[in-house]
Amino acid sequence: MLRNFETSIYLRYIYMESTMEITPETIPLLKKKRVLSLERSRILYHFAALVEKHADEITALEVWVNGKPYDQAARAEIPLFIRLFRYYAGWDDNIHGLTIQTDGPYHVQTLHEPIGVAGQIIPWNFPLLMYAWKVGPALACGNTIVLKTAEQTPLSALYVSNIFHEAGLPPGVLNIVSGYGPSAGAALASHMEVDKLAFTGSTATGQIVLGLAAKSNLKPVTLDLGGKSPFIVCEDANVDESV
């Protein structure tokens, strides 16, 4: 279930009644509205500071839900997560168009604008780093987001997204969907009013996502594919044969 997709900031806002499920009709775009890039930057910097303040509990949650070693989360993933959002916060007032020299009495320029609603699907292996790589650039560039977490590891994304509201992000700009790929993921990939899709996961699922995007509104898709499976090496394993 999604709740209260409503805001009046960034490029667009979206609304959905709180009891509705994700279907091709549940994310209609209603309005366009701009906000100063300085405000976006302030929110991202504030968010990074709040995550740093709550780093211990976020680390514990990431370890608990994902099963990774504590040191990996504490010394690598969470510090990188904070650094990434501070980096993206610096983008906001550095996104410029170009003035292009041309022959004749013409003025030619390019203008970079938000694309609109960004659909994002992330995997389980590095939940918060994947979150940062998807959410940070999209927010810095002024887009709204619908992000689907991996069904195995939804909690840390939900936790830090709540911190975003404390940092000043309006409700409805960042929307988190916890669900399975064939239902929630497929609905997001095939939605007619999602303007851009980013997916990280297996090659086989990437092919499905690309097909759904093409069959709907031919939305542009960014794919980061690989596909790796976790395994446990027991004490009696023959390492030479296993690795």
Side-chain angles (χ1 to χ4, degrees):
M1 300 293 182
L2 304 178
R3 299 185 64 83
N4 195 25
F5 275 29
E6 187 175 16
T7 185
S8 58
I9 202 167
Y10 301 111
L11 178 68
R12 299 178 177 179
Y13 74 74
I14 44 184
Y15 170 81
M16 192 190 73
E17 293 181 9
S18 61
T19 57
M20 295 176 67
E21 297 179 358
I22 304 175
T23 70
E25 291 76 37
T26 56
I27 317 178
L29 302 176
L30 299 180
K31 189 177 287 189
K32 295 183 178 181
K33 190 177 181 68
R34 295 187 182 278
V35 70
L36 293 176
S37 60
L38 180 63
E39 177 65 10
R40 296 201 301 271
S41 180
R42 184 197 66 78
I43 291 170
L44 292 175
Y45 275 124
H46 191 193
F47 170 72
L50 289 172
V51 170
E52 192 168 44
K53 177 181 176 181
H54 298 285
D56 288 344
E57 53 260 46
I58 294 171
T59 300
L61 182 61
E62 187 78 332
V63 170
W64 183 77
V65 72
N66 178 269
K68 65 177 59 190
Y70 183 88
D71 279 355
Q72 185 185 82
R75 297 183 181 182
E77 186 168 9
I78 306 307
L80 284 173
F81 181 84
I82 296 166
R83 287 179 61 187
L84 281 166
F85 272 98
R86 286 178 173 149
Y87 168 72
Y88 294 131
W91 278 16
D92 286 287
D93 55 358
N94 288 286
I95 301 173
H96 309 294
L98 298 173
T99 301
I100 303 168
Q101 186 175 0
T102 184
D103 296 332
Y106 306 106
H107 177 78
V108 180
Q109 69 179 41
T110 62
L111 177 65
H112 294 174
E113 295 183 315
I115 196 168
V117 176
Q120 304 175 340
I121 302 173
I122 60 175
W124 57 267
N125 54 343
F126 280 88
L128 287 181
L129 275 185
M130 297 294 173
Y131 177 104
W133 291 339
K134 297 286 191 292
V135 170
L139 288 183
C141 294
N143 299 286
T144 56
I145 298 168
V146 181
L147 179 141
K148 190 197 89 66
T149 60
E151 60 269 23
Q152 302 92 341
T153 54
L155 298 183
S156 54
L158 291 168
Y159 188 93
V160 297
S161 296
N162 190 56
I163 293 177
F164 250 124
H165 290 292
E166 187 179 348
L169 191 71
V173 173
L174 173 61
N175 308 278
I176 307 301
V177 180
S178 300
Y180 293 97
S183 52
L188 189 58
S190 59
H191 201 286
M192 292 297 292
E193 296 192 274
V194 170
D195 300 294
K196 168 74 168 66
L197 192 66
F199 170 81
T200 298
S202 70
T203 301
T205 304
Q207 292 175 319
I208 296 172
V209 167
L210 191 61
L212 292 172
K215 291 176 182 178
S216 51
N217 59 344
L218 204 61
K219 61 179 71 64
V221 180
T222 301
L223 297 173
D224 176 17
L225 306 179
K228 302 171 184 65
S229 298
F231 60 91
I232 298 173
V233 180
C234 299
E235 291 182 359
D236 60 348
N238 188 322
V239 177
D240 292 336
E241 292 183 2
S242 301
V243 178

